[in-house]
Amino acid sequence: MAHITASVYTSHVPAIGIALDQGKTAEPYWKNVFDGYEYSKQWMKDNKPDVIFLVYNDHATAFSLDMIPTFALGVAAEFPVADEGWGPRPVPKVVGHPELAAHIAHSVIQSDFDLTICNKMPVDHGLTVPLSMMCGPLDPVKDAWPCPVIPFHVNVVQYPVPSGARCFALGQAIRRAVESFDEDLNVHIWGTGGMSHQLQGPRAGLINREWDNTWLDQMIADPAACAKVPHIDYVREAGSEGIELVMWLIARGAMADVAGGKAPVVKHRFYHVPASNTAVGHLILQEA
Ligand code: DHB
Ligand code: FE
């Protein structure tokens, strides 16, 4: 059977991808950010998954106002790296896992979550920046990401957005789906985006360290209570783009303790301001 062995959480600031791609990681501004991922890169090597189920949000790249799926699952064999205006990032191509993805589609839809199934989906910074943070800079041609990746998009860009409670319940359905796949696979589930940031309007630049860290404490220790935080609290306290954090609740909902098992071990926790307009948060939870 396939098993979820860990969940990883990280912000996806696009400027971090640019800093990596342009070799600026040692500059004082960026060094503070990248230092927070040194442990994580080694942890990834020591705990290499067979598949990453990567929850992220598309930023009007694969989708637009023409079509707004709330939840979209990538079932393709490959996902092209999107051109977000400056050409595609120079990173390895993203290889999917069509068999596991198709099984998850069947299981989760039969659990009453209406997913959009994507056979074609270019992936943007929401997915490639977390991969780069966790795996370090890689040659786009000679290197490969450590394993196949199943992209899972959540609409947190255009209202109405799904609630934290819905995301948390979906994570539980994804766990049941993975654990019923008849192949011995080590699966990591990643929740990405956040933490506090607002990119537009009079409050642009908003950062709320206290709220971010209190939310993190609760997300780790009492995720069911955290899932009850209404969307308006994210927007009010963590800024309009702070709502990206509901995606972390999908990964958290997929951990064993939520299904009655043991609490996960906090392997790593990191929080840093500033990175572009965003408070960077990062967490690794491993099953006990
Ligand atoms: C920034 C952060 C994001 O999450 C994003 O999607 C785009 C920009 C930023 O901090 O600049
Ligand atoms: Fe974003």
Side-chain angles (χ1 to χ4, degrees):
M1 289 307 195
H3 288 293
I4 293 178
T5 58
S7 52
V8 172
Y9 308 79
T10 179
S11 307
H12 64 215
V13 187
I16 291 178
I18 306 293
L20 261 161
D21 300 343
Q22 298 183 353
K24 293 184 175 164
T25 56
E27 289 184 2
Y29 181 89
W30 290 115
K31 190 176 179 312
N32 292 321
V33 179
F34 287 102
D35 280 354
Y37 289 78
E38 281 306 313
Y39 172 90
S40 316
K41 286 189 282 182
Q42 189 57 47
W43 178 88
M44 268 300 279
K45 288 187 183 133
D46 297 341
N47 296 276
K48 194 175 122 22
D50 298 315
V51 184
I52 297 167
F53 188 93
L54 204 158
V55 180
Y56 77 109
N57 69 290
D58 178 81
H59 298 75
T61 303
F63 307 114
S64 68
L65 293 182
D66 288 350
M67 273 181 270
I68 309 169
T70 301
F71 299 119
L73 174 70
V75 299
E78 236 179 84
F79 301 92
V81 175
D83 181 347
E84 295 180 67
W86 295 272
R89 283 194 61 215
V91 293
K93 65 183 179 188
V94 176
V95 172
H97 197 300
E99 296 80 15
L100 178 59
H103 171 80
I104 291 172
H106 178 85
S107 173
V108 170
I109 289 172
Q110 287 296 316
S111 295
D112 305 330
F113 289 89
D114 307 317
L115 308 184
T116 299
I117 295 173
C118 296
N119 288 299
K120 250 190 197 175
M121 185 161 68
V123 287
D124 72 10
H125 68 270
L127 181 132
T128 63
V129 167
L131 280 174
S132 291
M133 298 301 285
M134 294 299 292
C135 307
L138 295 174
D139 186 278
V141 181
K142 285 187 234 143
D143 297 329
W145 299 115
C147 67
V149 175
I150 298 177
F152 189 86
H153 154 81
V154 180
N155 169 44
V156 284
V157 167
Q158 177 61 39
Y159 275 81
V161 297
S163 67
R166 180 82 173 147
C167 290
F168 188 58
L170 175 58
Q172 295 169 57
I174 291 167
R175 176 182 179 82
R176 291 193 296 272
V178 169
E179 304 256 316
S180 61
F181 186 64
D182 196 12
E183 194 183 325
D184 189 18
L185 293 175
N186 170 2
V187 179
H188 287 184
I189 182 162
W190 292 13
T192 64
M195 295 197 72
S196 54
H197 62 305
Q198 169 143 349
L199 301 178
Q200 68 270 303
R203 297 200 309 163
L206 179 145
I207 298 288
N208 189 342
R209 290 170 190 258
E210 200 185 330
W211 188 90
D212 282 346
N213 281 290
T214 305
W215 184 89
L216 265 178
D217 291 341
Q218 191 182 45
M219 207 275 296
I220 295 167
D222 189 357
C226 186
K228 292 192 182 126
V229 173
H231 92 273
I232 195 67
D233 284 20
Y234 289 90
V235 176
R236 191 183 290 124
E237 299 294 336
S240 51
E241 278 66 50
I243 191 65
E244 288 179 343
L245 282 172
V246 293
M247 295 185 286
W248 294 33
L249 284 163
I250 297 180
R252 187 66 186 89
M255 298 303 282
D257 59 334
V258 179
K262 283 193 188 154
V265 179
V266 180
K267 298 299 285 188
H268 186 53
R269 179 171 170 167
F270 174 65
Y271 184 82
H272 177 77
V273 179
S276 189
N277 301 293
T278 304
V280 168
H282 172 41
L283 191 64
I284 299 177
L285 301 183
Q286 196 159 358
E287 293 296 19

